[in-house]
Amino acid sequence: MAHNPLAPEWLSSPADANTLTDGLWPSSARRTDDGAITIGGVSAGDLAAQFGTPLYVIDETDARTRAAQLRAAFDAEFARIGTTVRVYYAAKAFLSTEVARWMVEAGLNIDVCSGGELAVALAAGVAPGRIGFHGNNKSRAEINDATRVGVGTIIIDSPVEIERVAEAAGRHGMVQNVRLRVNSGVHAHTHEFLATSHEDQKFGVVFEDAPALVAAIRAQPSLNFLGLHCHIGSQIFGVDGFAESASRLLSLQADLLAGGPVPELNLGGGFGIAYTSVDDPSPVADLAAALADIVAAECARRGIPVPVIAIEPGRVIIGPAGVTLYEVGTTKPVRIGENTRLYVSVDGGMSDNARPALYGAEYSVRIADRVSEAAPALVRVAGKHCESGDIVVDADYLPGDVAPGDLLMVPATGAYCWSLASNYNYVGRPAVVAVADGEARVIVRGETIDDLLARDAGVPRSAHEVSTSSTGEVSTSSTGEVSTSSTGEAGSTGEAGSTGAAGSTNDMKETTR
Ligand code: LLP
């Protein structure tokens, strides 16, 4: 078929727009005989009926397996060069207590970058010693809390933090392990990396300043210097950027060894994943092997011991394990000259996936509750928000008979979708459901209209209380004020059952229109 000029160069019309492209989907994703996509043995239709749409779905086995396999690959490769690896899961990609426990059970530590993420990790029962605390502007309260609970490491990101962390640790009568984040001057993004001498960015200390700052850390009796840290970017496909950065950091490491021990080196996260059929990230095992070779060679060249290595991947663990389920509300063929793009609007959008709007991120899509023989049509999946940049999938092909009521599934939404979600247009954030072995369960409930009203100090509480019903329906009081149910109120404190009801969030949305 001729290339539709409205499609990006890389996207060609597939022979079959029902196929689940390799590498994009959670490992349990299948099409069953009736044409439905199942994840973890639960069909898209059942998920939508039970929990409503939009819905984040995480394949629990896949997430756990990715975490365990990554750790095993790094353990094996770094054992080969005579050292060990600490793997931290970068919680910013997706964090709930449940997911934190999966990661710990897979042998990972947890990397947090705010007091909120720290609170969730602690609520999950993660041992504080397994937590690394990041941030370029940690508040004094955050530093105080982190030292008080005894987090394993704090990553110092600017000179002023040396005293702040030392003082907080001293106050709690403990010695805090710290790393120093250094700007290695390498910045990588997907296929390319840039190496500049003075990169202009907010993270890390200036490379040349590191020796003096390490001396200042060593001079603090309440701090224990573990080593250097660098993170060169995210969604990186190749190994060259990591190699360049590791090489620079190890040259610094060699200098620092003259002044005392430097037992560890943290190389950060950033391993990329596939979002479309043409994305081709390096497999984790290849990255592990290549990084181990580089570290071994650079240490040998400088005659220094191989340090304990730490890494902090997020996306590569949780990203491919997650999908988002939507329902199609409207379709609209838009003719541009000789060509047509079919706009397919779903019941979510930039509030549940900000990445296309924020970064121009590309995604893929499939009809999730049926297969179709209809000729593939170029589609753009748009959200329901009042903004033309509200796009979920900029370009993919779906069977041309895609229609209102169809369920759509967007793969690879496990990372940086829920964590970046917003309430734009007062759309509640969807629930997160974990699926495994034919069972689905809510791990984070969706937001109700009550949740959205709960923090608005101007909502008349008396009218609100009088007119609520126990069924979760929105009703209008005699004074004409729109109000909501008391079940939602209970739900907002985290009680079970408030989201589990079939489509409750959607029902409420409908009745408020
Ligand atoms: N370590 C540090 C210090 C980081 O800043 C990050 C990500 C990671 C680890 C984990 O990176 P990952 O392995 O997940 O790529 N919101 C953007 C990504 C921002 C990443 C920020 N830092 C996105 O949606 O693409």
Side-chain angles (χ1 to χ4, degrees):
M1 192 185 286
H3 182 82
N4 184 333
L6 299 177
E9 275 304 308
W10 57 265
L11 181 67
S12 47
S13 181
D16 179 357
N18 301 292
T19 309
L20 305 186
T21 312
D22 283 350
L24 294 187
W25 293 83
S27 52
S28 70
R30 308 266 181 280
R31 285 245 185 228
T32 49
D33 292 344
D34 64 358
I37 299 177
T38 64
I39 309 281
V42 187
S43 77
D46 286 351
L47 287 166
Q50 205 182 338
F51 305 105
T53 55
L55 184 70
Y56 297 110
V57 183
I58 301 185
D59 179 339
E60 175 176 349
T61 311
D62 191 53
R64 287 178 182 268
T65 306
R66 282 175 203 276
Q69 286 178 346
L70 183 141
R71 178 172 172 240
F74 274 85
D75 277 352
E77 293 298 341
F78 282 83
R80 175 171 64 78
I81 65 160
T83 189
T84 55
V85 183
R86 296 184 207 283
V87 181
Y88 289 81
Y89 168 67
K92 68 202 80 179
F94 180 97
L95 182 64
S96 72
T97 54
E98 181 83 25
V99 168
R101 284 191 285 267
W102 300 348
M103 296 302 133
V104 169
E105 283 166 24
L108 275 57
N109 306 287
I110 306 285
D111 150 29
V112 300
C113 65
S114 70
E117 288 184 357
L118 175 61
V120 178
L122 293 174
V126 178
R130 298 186 76 125
I131 298 174
F133 195 94
H134 266 287
N136 68 299
N137 184 19
K138 306 167 194 78
S139 69
R140 285 175 192 277
E142 286 173 324
I143 292 172
N144 184 60
D145 286 348
T147 49
R148 181 176 50 76
V149 303
V151 298
T153 61
I154 293 182
I155 295 84
I156 289 183
D157 200 288
S158 61
V160 72
E161 280 192 342
I162 297 173
E163 271 181 31
R164 287 183 188 168
V165 178
E167 193 264 324
R171 198 176 330 122
H172 298 298
M174 47 91 72
V175 175
Q176 177 65 56
N177 287 327
V178 296
R179 305 180 193 275
L180 179 67
R181 181 165 176 175
V182 176
N183 179 356
S184 68
V186 176
H187 183 74
H189 178 69
T190 307
H191 307 284
E192 309 209 332
F193 78 90
L194 293 173
T196 56
S197 53
H198 291 288
E199 222 209 331
D200 205 355
Q201 56 129 324
K202 70 174 184 173
F203 291 113
V205 302
V206 175
F207 191 85
E208 290 72 21
D209 295 348
L213 295 172
V214 171
I217 291 170
R218 284 172 166 156
Q220 294 284 353
S222 60
L223 300 183
N224 177 42
F225 179 62
L226 273 190
L228 301 172
H229 175 285
C230 68
H231 172 78
I232 60 169
S234 196
Q235 181 60 358
I236 300 166
F237 281 9
V239 78
D240 295 353
F242 294 111
E244 179 66 24
S245 183
S247 166
R248 291 185 184 196
L249 269 280
L250 285 166
S251 75
L252 195 51
Q253 174 113 352
D255 294 344
L256 296 177
L257 280 166
V262 190
E264 301 197 8
L265 173 63
N266 190 326
L267 296 174
F271 310 150
I273 65 167
Y275 289 99
T276 70
S277 56
V278 293
D279 288 341
D280 189 20
S282 308
V284 160
D286 293 1
L287 277 172
L291 281 178
D293 287 346
I294 291 152
V295 169
E298 291 293 328
C299 289
R301 190 156 74 88
R302 296 184 166 85
I304 60 173
V306 179
V308 168
I309 297 296
I311 54 165
E312 297 167 347
R315 185 192 317 260
V316 77
I317 293 171
I318 202 70
V323 302
T324 310
L325 187 61
Y326 301 99
E327 185 178 319
V328 176
T330 62
T331 60
K332 197 185 290 178
V334 174
R335 276 172 304 284
I336 298 139
E338 302 290 293
N339 302 293
T340 302
R341 188 195 305 279
L342 183 61
Y343 276 79
V344 177
S345 291
V346 295
D347 47 0
M350 65 194 298
S351 55
D352 60 76
N353 188 351
R355 299 191 69 257
L358 270 179
Y359 316 114
E362 311 272 10
Y363 282 87
S364 307
V365 62
R366 286 291 175 255
I367 296 179
D369 53 347
R370 65 184 178 100
V371 286
S372 163
E373 304 282 299
L378 178 68
V379 301
R380 174 167 288 164
V381 181
K384 62 178 284 166
H385 294 278
C386 294
E387 188 154 328
S388 54
D390 171 29
I391 287 162
V392 179
V393 182
D394 181 60
D396 200 353
Y397 283 88
L398 284 179
D401 62 355
V402 59
D406 279 336
L407 295 176
L408 298 188
M409 225 179 233
V410 175
T413 60
Y416 302 112
C417 289
W418 186 81
S419 59
L420 284 171
S422 76
N423 287 133
Y424 185 37
N425 295 145
Y426 276 92
V427 171
R429 280 170 287 201
V432 186
V433 162
V435 289
D437 305 323
E439 301 282 334
R441 65 205 163 87
V442 173
I443 61 169
V444 185
R445 72 169 178 83
E447 283 173 322
T448 62
I449 296 289
D450 279 315
D451 291 329
L452 302 180
L453 289 172
R455 288 177 302 133
D456 186 329
V459 174
R461 296 294 154 196
S462 55
H464 180 67
E465 278 154 22
V466 167
S467 61
T468 54
S469 79
S470 60
T471 59
E473 279 173 8
V474 178
S475 57
T476 307
S477 75
S478 54
T479 57
E481 285 151 342
V482 173
S483 192
T484 55
S485 79
S486 57
T487 45
E489 291 268 83
S492 68
T493 60
E495 277 189 32
S498 57
T499 49
S504 62
T505 313
N506 285 351
D507 293 343
M508 293 173 80
K509 278 184 212 149
E510 290 301 330
T511 45
T512 48
R513 268 187 214 122

